[in-house]
Amino acid sequence: MQAVPLAETAGGASIRQLFGYPFRIFFLSMTILAMLTIPVWVLQVSGAIQLPLAMPGLFWHQHEMLFGFLSAAIAGFLLTAVCVWTQTERTHGLRLVLLWGVWLAGRLLLAFGAGLPDWLVHGVNLAFLPLVMLDAGWRVWHARQKRQLMILVVLGLLWLMQIGFVTRLDPAFSYGALIMAMALISIIGGRITPAFSAGWLRQRGLDATQVKMVPALDMAVLFNMVLLMASLVSGWQSITAILAITAAALMLVRLAGWKGWLFRKEPLLWVLHLSILWVPVALLLLAGSILAGWPASAWTHAAGTGAVGCLILGVIARVALGHTGRPLVLPRGMVTAFVMIQLAALIRVITAFDAMPWHAGVGVSSLLWVIAFGLFLGRYTRILASPRPDGKEG
């Protein structure tokens, strides 16, 4: 694969350009947050620093990864994609600045808001996802695209998990949010991964029908995930284990139909297939935590670092190229980034099983995570802050 020299993306970069399309500012912001949050949490939990956090350190870490990092990725992807799906004018300029400002204010209030009223800290943080849903929902409603409504339903359930989490500081709601995050992966990843894969085969004169998409199976996975979330939050352990195993089996059948091994030479595709594979891994680890007493941190990090983190990095690397009118050719270092974030997930999961000393495992995993997103930041900042080479809006 040819690398794109960084100099090709250097012309005309500006802060104003970042607010020309939602993916630009939100992909850049969530990358910076990803690079800061993990090491800050490690330093916080080790006692090296003490920030005036608005909630206990572990809960802050969980909230920022689920509802800070993930929400920014959702906003960047969804508010960009929905404009294409519905052929409507993009959110940009002042409206985008204000929306981003709500997201940023939430991060600052949680990091430095000790002593501030809960209604202020929670209110600002809980405002962001509904604003994203309103923006996307208005477009979907007017375009009569019922197919997109399920994404909004899952986002609504994710928001309910956030409400429960910030008001009760109950891990059950962070677990439910992780299940909804994997449900979003099931929907969005389940659309783009086989579609991109089939297109790659078609462009090379190969048989694109090798990639199988079964809508009934897609719906079965999603329905099962919603039930799993409800069961997990309700504390129905036996039912949760059964649903987790069932959802994992259905996801593995889907993945087998997408023939991921055919794309092992194309990083922009194998990273999607491999990242989604973390979903059934996380679900099986969840079942094991109930049935065999495996550590809960194994499945949560397989879901959060593996499924969510790895897929987000793979998706934003592709979307940032495509929507800025550039060839789908990865900049130098991004294959290394994909490998590092997969290793970060793997090391964090095996650390949960005491296969590595905790401090060493968490330290190495965190370092790999930061380097992976650091490579994205270094290679994509000018891409995200520069006009399209073809002069079009975007």
Side-chain angles (χ1 to χ4, degrees):
M1 168 171 287
Q2 270 189 323
V4 177
L6 188 59
E8 289 184 15
T9 69
S14 68
I15 293 176
R16 182 176 181 180
Q17 193 67 41
L18 287 171
F19 292 95
Y21 233 106
F23 75 91
R24 292 178 178 271
I25 186 60
F26 280 115
F27 287 178
L28 182 62
S29 299
M30 54 142 275
T31 299
I32 295 171
L33 181 69
M35 293 180 64
L36 290 175
T37 301
I38 298 298
V40 165
W41 174 74
V42 172
L43 292 171
Q44 182 87 11
V45 78
S46 65
I49 62 172
Q50 290 297 321
L51 291 179
L53 303 176
M55 59 176 60
L58 178 59
F59 292 107
W60 172 79
H61 166 65
Q62 293 172 346
H63 185 279
E64 289 307 88
M65 297 314 296
L66 279 169
F67 306 110
F69 171 71
L70 176 60
S71 293
I74 290 169
F77 177 84
L78 183 62
L79 297 185
T80 298
V82 78
C83 295
V84 178
W85 296 340
T86 60
Q87 297 297 299
T88 53
E89 175 63 20
R90 72 198 189 281
T91 299
H92 67 290
L94 180 59
R95 284 178 58 196
L96 184 54
V97 170
L98 293 174
L99 180 63
W100 176 76
V102 172
W103 178 85
L104 179 62
R107 313 287 62 75
L108 295 174
L109 285 170
L110 279 175
F112 304 104
L116 291 176
D118 286 347
W119 64 264
L120 175 62
V121 177
H122 299 341
V124 173
N125 275 282
L126 290 172
F128 182 68
L129 274 178
L131 291 173
V132 173
M133 288 187 284
L134 282 171
D135 189 304
W138 178 85
R139 300 168 193 278
V140 168
W141 177 262
H142 281 270
R144 300 292 189 266
Q145 291 190 356
K146 295 180 180 179
R147 182 171 181 254
Q148 318 303 347
L149 292 177
M150 190 51 67
I151 295 176
L152 298 176
V153 170
V154 173
L155 278 181
L157 293 172
L158 179 65
W159 184 55
L160 289 179
M161 294 301 100
Q162 186 184 15
I163 293 173
F165 184 82
V166 300
T167 56
R168 300 187 184 183
L169 294 182
D170 185 342
F173 291 101
S174 67
Y175 294 163
L178 276 172
I179 299 300
M180 287 300 93
M182 290 192 289
L184 280 173
I185 288 172
S186 175
I187 298 173
I188 297 172
R191 290 181 186 177
I192 65 175
T193 303
F196 292 163
S197 299
W200 187 87
L201 291 173
R202 197 175 296 113
Q203 289 170 6
R204 284 153 182 79
L206 301 173
D207 182 11
T209 62
Q210 294 179 86
V211 179
K212 306 294 183 184
M213 296 178 66
V214 183
L217 183 59
D218 299 347
M219 288 303 299
V221 171
L222 182 58
F223 182 68
N224 200 281
M225 296 289 271
V226 172
L227 291 178
L228 174 60
M229 179 272 293
S231 175
L232 187 58
V233 172
S234 301
W236 299 335
Q237 299 254 344
S238 298
I239 296 174
T240 297
I242 293 170
L243 289 170
I245 293 170
T246 304
L250 292 170
M251 282 297 298
L252 287 170
V253 172
R254 287 179 88 197
L255 283 165
W258 299 346
K259 307 290 194 302
W261 55 87
L262 297 176
F263 312 102
R264 58 190 176 274
K265 294 183 179 180
E266 176 47 67
L268 281 169
L269 291 177
W270 67 246
V271 70
L272 302 182
H273 288 271
L274 191 57
S275 299
I276 296 175
L277 181 59
W278 278 105
V279 172
V281 170
L283 292 170
L284 291 173
L285 289 171
L286 168 58
S289 72
I290 295 170
L291 300 176
W294 295 349
S297 60
W299 86 262
T300 58
H301 286 94
T305 308
V308 175
C310 293
L311 187 69
I312 284 175
L313 186 60
V315 169
I316 65 176
R318 184 186 184 104
V319 170
L321 294 174
H323 279 281
T324 58
R326 289 168 171 81
L328 296 179
V329 179
L330 279 173
R332 283 189 299 269
M334 284 308 298
V335 174
T336 301
F338 291 166
V339 173
M340 283 190 167
I341 198 167
Q342 296 287 340
L343 286 175
L346 179 61
I347 290 171
R348 188 61 187 87
V349 170
I350 67 174
T351 299
F353 285 99
D354 296 324
M356 288 182 68
W358 190 87
H359 285 288
V362 171
V364 171
S365 177
S366 299
L367 180 61
L368 290 170
W369 170 280
V370 170
I371 292 174
F373 279 99
L375 285 168
F376 178 87
L377 186 69
R379 294 303 183 186
Y380 279 83
T381 296
R382 286 192 178 275
I383 292 175
L384 293 170
S386 299
R388 288 174 60 111
D390 56 14
K392 295 181 180 178
E393 292 181 339

